[in-house]
Amino acid sequence: MRPHEFDQFSEALRDLALMFPRRKTTPEDDERFVRSFWRGVSDLPMEVFTERVDRWKRFGKKFPTPADLRPTMDRAASTGEIKGGMTLAECDDVARRFWDEQLKVDELGTKLKLCEALSARYDTEPDQSSPILAEKRSWLRQRRKELKAGAA
């Protein structure tokens, strides 16, 4: 999602809160909650997020977590289907269009975000002592330096 879509995102959360009431909170806690939820799903394209919210409204039993609204594997990878009825190819296409648009809007910022995402992915590797992983991290550090140097 893009920053200008935050209001649409907030409205979707308010709709969910009406359907699935949460505990009583202060306005400050609510604002912090909305911002935290945004951080958990802002990498999704708005169309995917709204589709997942609409599906949750129909089938959910409680207020969702960010993970609940993310497309997840529902069947064996061989079927190529994702929970929510989208195929892997359709999800890839939506993600590709989203990142292509982000690159047009803010090329440097988007590339730096992708570097951060890749770094986080490397942090989840089971074998942190792998020489291949060390080489990947070294390449990523160099690429990040090049991007930051190009911005200056």
Side-chain angles (χ1 to χ4, degrees), residues 106-122:
D106 179 12
E107 183 177 0
L108 178 62
T110 299
K111 287 180 178 180
L112 288 170
K113 284 180 189 176
L114 290 170
C115 283
E116 290 303 315
L118 188 54
S119 179
R121 169 68 180 91
Y122 291 162

Side-chain angles (χ1 to χ4, degrees), residues 1 5 30-31 36-37 53 58 83 89-91 137 149-151:
M1 288 180 269
E5 296 171 318
D30 286 343
E31 180 64 26
S36 179
F37 209 101
V53 166
R58 290 192 308 269
K83 192 174 189 175
E90 289 168 333
C91 288
R137 281 191 166 132

Side-chain angles (χ1 to χ4, degrees), residues 50-118:
T50 53
E51 184 274 329
R52 299 297 296 168
V53 166
D54 290 343
R55 182 167 289 279
W56 195 266
K57 287 177 185 177
R58 290 192 308 269
F59 303 110
K61 294 182 169 90
K62 62 175 179 59
F63 193 89
T65 65
D68 291 329
L69 297 178
R70 293 183 154 286
T72 56
M73 292 306 294
D74 187 44
R75 300 180 184 180
S78 61
T79 66
E81 285 192 26
I82 299 291
K83 192 174 189 175
M86 293 178 75
T87 65
L88 287 172
E90 289 168 333
C91 288
D92 284 346
D93 189 48
V94 168
R96 190 174 297 107
R97 285 194 318 264
F98 171 77
W99 288 111
D100 285 347
E101 182 63 29
Q102 292 298 300
L103 284 167
K104 289 176 191 171
V105 172
D106 179 12
E107 183 177 0
L108 178 62
T110 299
K111 287 180 178 180
L112 288 170
K113 284 180 189 176
L114 290 170
C115 283
E116 290 303 315
L118 188 54

